[in-house]
Amino acid sequence: MLVVREIAVSGYRSLRRISFPVDRLSVFVGGNGTGKTNLYRSLELLQAAARGTLTRDLAAEGGMDSALWAGRRRQGEAARICLSATLRHDGTGQDFQYTVEVGLVQQAGDSIFGAAFRKEPQVKAERLTVRTRGRTAVLLDRDGRSGFVRDEAGAKRSLGGDLLATETALGSLLDATGLPEIALVRLALAGWRFHHDFRTDADSPLRRPCLAVTTPTLASDGSDLAAVFATLAHIRQDTAEIDEAVDAAFPGAGLVIPEPGRHASFGLRFPDFPVRIFDPPELSDGTLRYLALAGALLGYRLPPFIALNEPETSLHPDLMDPLARLIARAAERTQVWLATHSERLAAGIAEHGRVRPRTVIKRDGETWIDGLKLSGDFADADED
């Protein structure tokens, strides 16, 4: 498995230039407007590069005019967004570093003008390296539309002329025959799971039954929550953790998970009404959102990396400690990255997960993390 070791971002919204380590459980806390969501969004964009949707995702959030760093740039500095992730292989100790740069379409006369619409984001460069026992090898190198990949025998292969300026090479190499390391990195990034603001309105998928299909991992929107619960109850036949999480949040309550037919469903029984089962359409927004987070963090199989953005939204303050326990428990099985407004939630995770929350701040309009050195390490790292 590849574990995220470091993230670096420059030129994106309030992220002028930042590089920071990522632990098994990383917690970032800060107020509105400090840029926590931009940190979270940069992780989503790295995954989009692996999936081949990076430029489309940037266009959807307002295009480069909206996404680029709005502050001053040094004279001659290109207007670019640079995203980088360093991943370590648990088994071999190898470090893989993937970097992608996105910029604006060049003016007329440039050799690649016309390969993208005038306002469309364009991939300018990509690079994937692997470091093994102190030696670094380049696995993928792309400048504009040209470049190469290195196969498992060490030979270089041209990327070919079909690669568009709006496509990432990592996301376009669908035939990875002979490119196992490149395929490994792409699959690792594509396997990340993001959860932000589960919908709880009347038409939310959380409130509806779903198809009865064995579902080890919750979808990002929670649309298969009932199937996740049914998988725990009727495939693994072990609901001890989810029962404990429900009781911790709603003392005396119990999750009811009928054996599925064509569809999977669930309900909640409260101690005040022992013979009444409350179906998802009847549950409060906070109750339903907590259950969705429990499904995301206690599933049969967890993704290699889970990112949560403000999971405390709509939750009663009394649910912060049960949620902190859930997050700390999930971090025993996978890597968890969290951005939150809640000091109470951060303190609970610090207690149960034995980690040090990091405070996100604004410094002259630039998002920064308190205690982070320019070298990309935290000043107190040696104390841990």
Side-chain angles (χ1 to χ4, degrees), residues 25-30 312 317 319-325 327-328 338-359:
L25 175 55
S26 298
V27 181
F28 298 91
V29 61
E312 71 277 5
L319 293 180
M320 293 303 102
D321 189 70
L323 178 57
R325 291 176 182 270
I327 292 169
L338 166 75
T340 178
H341 284 138
S342 174
E343 296 279 358
R344 185 170 177 177
L345 176 60
I349 297 172
E351 177 185 354
H352 300 302
R354 298 180 181 179
V355 297
R356 178 175 292 158
R358 302 296 180 180
T359 302

Side-chain angles (χ1 to χ4, degrees), residues 194-329:
F194 297 87
H195 296 292
H196 172 57
D197 193 24
F198 288 111
R199 279 182 52 198
T200 53
D201 57 89
D203 294 325
S204 165
L206 293 176
R207 297 192 183 277
R208 298 195 298 268
C210 65
L211 291 174
V213 177
T214 300
T215 306
T217 305
L218 186 72
S220 287
D221 64 357
S223 57
D224 49 10
L225 179 61
V228 167
F229 287 155
T231 299
L232 292 173
H234 302 288
I235 301 297
R236 190 173 72 178
Q237 298 185 348
D238 181 0
T239 61
E241 287 187 334
I242 198 74
D243 290 340
E244 180 183 336
V246 169
D247 184 67
F250 316 109
L255 194 62
V256 179
I257 310 169
E259 185 169 356
R262 286 187 59 195
H263 293 87
S265 63
F266 68 91
L268 206 58
R269 181 183 286 116
F270 293 98
D272 293 343
F273 304 94
V275 297
R276 171 90 152 80
I277 298 174
F278 289 79
D279 294 326
E282 303 174 274
L283 299 177
S284 71
D285 290 356
T287 299
L288 193 58
R289 183 168 281 116
Y290 178 84
L291 291 176
L293 288 165
L297 296 166
L298 297 177
Y300 182 97
R301 181 190 305 126
L302 297 184
F305 183 87
I306 298 175
L308 304 171
N309 190 33
E310 299 174 11
E312 71 277 5
T313 302
S314 295
L315 298 189
H316 189 277
D318 288 348
L319 293 180
M320 293 303 102
D321 189 70
L323 178 57
R325 291 176 182 270
L326 275 178
I327 292 169
R329 177 170 291 178

